[in-house]
Amino acid sequence: MKVTMKDIAKEAGVSVATVSHVINGTKNITEPKRSKVLEIIEKYHYVPNSTAKNLRTQSTKTAAMVVSSFTDSFVNGMIYGVEQKAREMGYSLLLVNTNEDEKYEKKTINLLYSKMVDGIILSPTSNDIGYLNDFTESMPIVLVNRYNPVVKNAPRVTGDNFRVGYDATTHLIQHGHRNIGVIYAVPNVSTTEGRLNGYRRALKENGIPYDEDHLELGYATVEGGAKAAETLLKKEKDITALFIQNDLMTIGVISKLKELGLEVPEDIALIGFGDSPSAAITAPPITNMVLPPEEIGTKAFESLSKLIDGEAHVENIELPASMVVRKSCGCE
Amino acid sequence: MKVTMKDIAKEAGVSVATVSHVINGTKNITEPKRSKVLEIIEKYHYVPNSTAKNLRTQSTKTAAMVVSSFTDSFVNGMIYGVEQKAREMGYSLLLVNTNEDEKYEKKTINLLYSKMVDGIILSPTSNDIGYLNDFTESMPIVLVNRYNPVVKNAPRVTGDNFRVGYDATTHLIQHGHRNIGVIYAVPNVSTTEGRLNGYRRALKENGIPYDEDHLELGYATVEGGAKAAETLLKKEKDITALFIQNDLMTIGVISKLKELGLEVPEDIALIGFGDSPSAAITAPPITNMVLPPEEIGTKAFESLSKLIDGEAHVENIELPASMVVRKSCGCE
DNA sequence: ATGAAAGCGCTAACAG
DNA sequence: CTGTTAGCGCTTTCAT
């Protein structure tokens, strides 16, 4: 049988309250007793049962991070940031991957709601997250990366996706391109929408008509990117540049272009998203739009912990976009 | 206030026992009562407090995965595999990153021991894990990737690291290299040791003397890899090939080589480890040794769940290595 | 088939 | 300063 606080108390000749107090430093316990208790604890390698403590205190000191995918470096960077901050602040982190499955996301939130965690950081599967309003009143939730303003009482930390789309497109236009295709990862999410808005704005400011046929879905995978590039280029012969919204897709696109005998950036220029270290040594090195995933993660956890501690109003945070210029866009 | 089982019971006009039984299907409850209870539950969006359930049942249906780093694709792949399997089997997953900090690892295991989780999957920081024997008797633990046979009662799932080192070295030798440098990620872990043993064996079988100065530590980072390549090449002028044990380091090495004006594979041939998708589109495409991280993860969780369910003997698993040949080794 | 009640291990009034 | 005790919300015997 596992040793409990009661056992420690008995062997030390004190009450459980005393043991609890020396463990938590909740009250002053005089020296002879204190060290006796500590000694017994040491002797048995006693660790308080956190399950009981959780029930009693109505708090678990654990937070959940639920992401919609788990393969690209951007999401990994966010997780890294969240994990780091959580650990630093004494929280454990529960990780859930919804795999872009909306129903599973709902089930997960519902499960998490049962006091298993003190708060949730969520990168939702889609824009349809009105259901969260059933929870935000009584469970701290912060939205990361993707969001929807219909959700009340949940702060968000995101990146400037409009700028991502706008700057990428503008840069390509400055290189003389007028028919720019875009391969996006997922439909119906704020990130994609923001970038597309930026794309359209840049087009408009340069007097280039917007053509919906220049958009293609790439499913955030290497294969999806390759396939999207192929279909896009086949049906839209005039395209000379690509804006690709995810690093895995970019890899697929470059492979496919190579296969098709197309040179980057001579035949097709491209700008990717999310700067993984390999981008510098690919052929050609990839120009990328970047948003800081780790910072999004750490900021998100900071927001969450404020929310957990009951701090009234926590504002939304939007981190700036930047561009790292290499050769795939035509620069050099 | 949050609604509890008691509230549901009262409103449905039954006892808490009955509510519990309809929720868990533990006993037959006759129809009128059953649907009444279900209806009230629905009405209030009631979810049982898992904190209380955990205390009562002495089980949390959550497992922990503790890794020693969080940046390379191999570790991410393992996490992905574990998370997937855990979810599939109805477990939640606690993720902890020890950041190669041995003391923190111990603290973590100790914390986790307090019934917070039903079992632990651990990729340890070092070979010094004898302390785990204090825990394995009463807490299911499975070791992944890295291990040490001093730990009893903990099954392991690893890759054939000897083969990784042996095959990489042999391949390089077949390309005519006799002075092969190796950049390893971390000292004092079984993975590094296994690969180094394979390296030595391949050398020996080909009558090439082993030279410890051909080994350099690269810290599993891009910068570490770059720096290691520089020092190694500077002090060992005869080196014509490199075996690099981590994908991040490989990126650093290739960048550095480029900077030094050295051609791959003409001046320096290389074989890396861990096949991230970008390896196919780098200049040159990278030949890699590979071990299946996701499979290691899923197999590890399967072992863990067997252990949790009390299945007597769970054996160790070693997954085979393979090589994906591209151009950096000199092939083509 | 259903309910009463004990108790999982801990914290935190409260009393002394 | 220290001990007694009442729960936290649930599951699970044991009666009925």
Side-chain angles (χ1 to χ4, degrees), chain A residues 48-303:
Chain A
N49 181 322
S50 52
T51 269
K53 181 172 186 164
N54 291 344
L55 174 60
R56 183 57 230 236
T57 60
Q58 303 284 44
S59 134
T60 58
K61 273 285 177 184
T62 111
M65 165 119 200
V66 0
V67 298
S68 56
S69 75
F70 197 61
T71 36
D72 69 51
S73 62
F74 187 78
V75 172
N76 273 310
M78 288 198 301
I79 297 175
Y80 181 80
V82 170
E83 198 279 339
Q84 201 171 14
K85 203 67 185 181
R87 189 153 35 87
E88 189 185 315
M89 301 186 71
Y91 280 79
S92 298
L93 217 226
L94 219 48
L95 179 68
V96 184
N97 172 18
T98 62
N99 249 319
E100 305 286 0
D101 178 338
E102 220 171 304
K103 263 166 273 160
Y104 189 74
E105 177 183 305
K106 280 188 194 175
K107 248 171 57 186
T108 299
I109 299 294
N110 212 52
L111 179 69
L112 258 20
Y113 179 64
S114 61
K115 283 239 152 299
M116 235 170 60
V117 294
D118 296 347
I120 300 172
I121 292 176
L122 169 66
S123 179
T125 283
S126 80
N127 254 330
D128 308 327
I129 48 178
Y131 76 92
L132 285 176
N133 284 319
D134 288 352
F135 299 99
T136 49
E137 287 284 330
S138 44
M139 165 71 89
I141 298 183
V142 359
L143 263 14
V144 278
N145 200 27
R146 303 174 181 173
Y147 75 97
N148 184 336
V150 300
V151 180
K152 304 305 177 195
N153 298 316
R156 60 173 183 261
V157 10
T158 57
D160 186 347
N161 283 295
F162 178 87
R163 205 81 208 180
V164 166
Y166 181 83
D167 286 357
T169 310
T170 302
H171 189 83
L172 256 10
I173 291 173
Q174 284 166 350
H175 272 292
H177 299 284
R178 295 187 63 84
N179 288 288
I180 302 169
V182 2
I183 299 177
Y184 60 100
V186 178
N188 193 33
V189 294
S190 63
T191 45
T192 297
E193 285 171 3
R195 295 172 197 175
L196 253 25
N197 286 339
Y199 167 76
R200 283 188 211 102
R201 168 74 68 84
L203 253 32
K204 189 169 190 179
E205 287 185 0
N206 288 274
I208 303 173
Y210 168 66
D211 179 354
E212 197 168 335
D213 291 339
H214 281 31
L215 271 36
E216 192 75 33
L217 179 56
Y219 301 99
T221 63
V222 175
E223 303 72 30
K227 193 166 297 179
E230 188 162 28
T231 20
L232 200 53
L233 261 24
K234 209 151 270 180
K235 84 175 177 197
E236 304 292 325
K237 306 279 185 195
D238 49 1
I239 285 178
T240 57
L242 253 19
F243 166 41
I244 308 156
Q245 303 200 4
N246 157 294
D247 60 345
L248 256 20
M249 296 195 302
T250 303
I251 292 171
V253 170
I254 290 183
S255 303
K256 177 56 75 181
L257 258 25
K258 203 162 286 185
E259 187 187 317
L260 259 30
L262 262 16
E263 293 288 330
V264 178
E266 293 77 5
D267 300 320
I268 301 286
L270 64 84
I271 293 183
F273 173 82
D275 212 40
S276 67
S278 62
I281 62 163
T282 51
I286 303 168
T287 294
N288 277 315
M289 292 307 304
V290 0
L291 253 23
E294 296 181 18
E295 196 182 345
I296 290 181
T298 54
K299 288 262 192 295
F301 194 87
E302 283 167 6
S303 277

